[in-house]
Amino acid sequence: MGSVMISENGAIYNRMLLVTPSGEIQYYDKRHLFAYANEDKHFKKGTTNTIFKLAGWKIKPIICYDLRFPVAARNIEDYDLLICVANWPNTRIEAWDTLLKARSIENLCYTIGVNRTGADANNLKYIGHSNCYDPLGKRLLPVYENQDVISVVIDKNKVQNIREKLPFLADRDHFKIY
């Protein structure tokens, strides 16, 4: 799973791809383009609400700036796992950490954030802070800076058990995201 630029029908999308072990390809196109960096001038925004299905998990994909928009991530599909891949710079890393935690708490799901490291052509520095939060917002890994590979084991049953004990999603607003 990861995001790449895809050209399709004369438009360019920032697209997250999931390739399953059987070779099936599922995708999500980034919905919130980062106008501050002129993404809206180069990319076409996605218009669908996507849930990936893999090995019994319902996975909500989002890309980078999408993380700032809780309505787009709102768990109206009873997904188990939210995954965000990003280029979140060091200057805003506290917001990254906080928003990942908030999305896990408000959606009673695991939230995984995968952030880049290194520097870009604009001299922005990226220090990682990739992590996983449980459905109650507990960070499951220490904070790693400039780490290339980390892993975590998550338990789908924990999501169900927490939702049974704390049925907060039953009180959520009902709406449809296009």
Side-chain angles (χ1 to χ4, degrees), residues 16 28 30 60-64 66-69 72-73 82-86 100 103 111-112:
M16 186 184 300
Y28 162 75
K30 183 178 182 181
K60 172 79 168 186
I62 60 174
I63 300 172
C64 203
D66 287 333
L67 183 63
R68 285 194 175 268
F69 300 91
L82 176 72
I83 294 183
C84 180
V85 296
L100 287 171
R103 297 297 87 87
T111 298
I112 294 176

Side-chain angles (χ1 to χ4, degrees), residues 1 16 18 20 26 49-62 73-84 107-112 135 154-157 159-160 163 169 172:
M1 182 184 303
M16 186 184 300
L18 168 69
T20 68
Q26 300 173 46
N49 192 29
T50 303
I51 299 294
F52 294 159
K53 294 186 177 164
L54 179 66
W57 288 80
K58 290 170 70 176
I59 304 166
K60 172 79 168 186
I62 60 174
R74 190 62 175 142
N75 196 348
I76 57 175
E77 306 89 353
D78 293 320
Y79 63 79
D80 314 299
L81 172 61
L82 176 72
I83 294 183
C84 180
N107 293 301
L108 289 176
C109 68
Y110 285 102
T111 298
I112 294 176
I154 57 177
D155 179 3
K156 188 173 175 224
N157 292 325
V159 174
Q160 188 60 37
R163 288 179 183 172
L169 291 178
R172 64 190 157 201

Side-chain angles (χ1 to χ4, degrees), residues 86-97:
N87 291 323
W88 209 282
N90 183 40
T91 55
R92 294 187 297 277
I93 206 68
E94 288 294 323
W96 163 258
D97 293 338

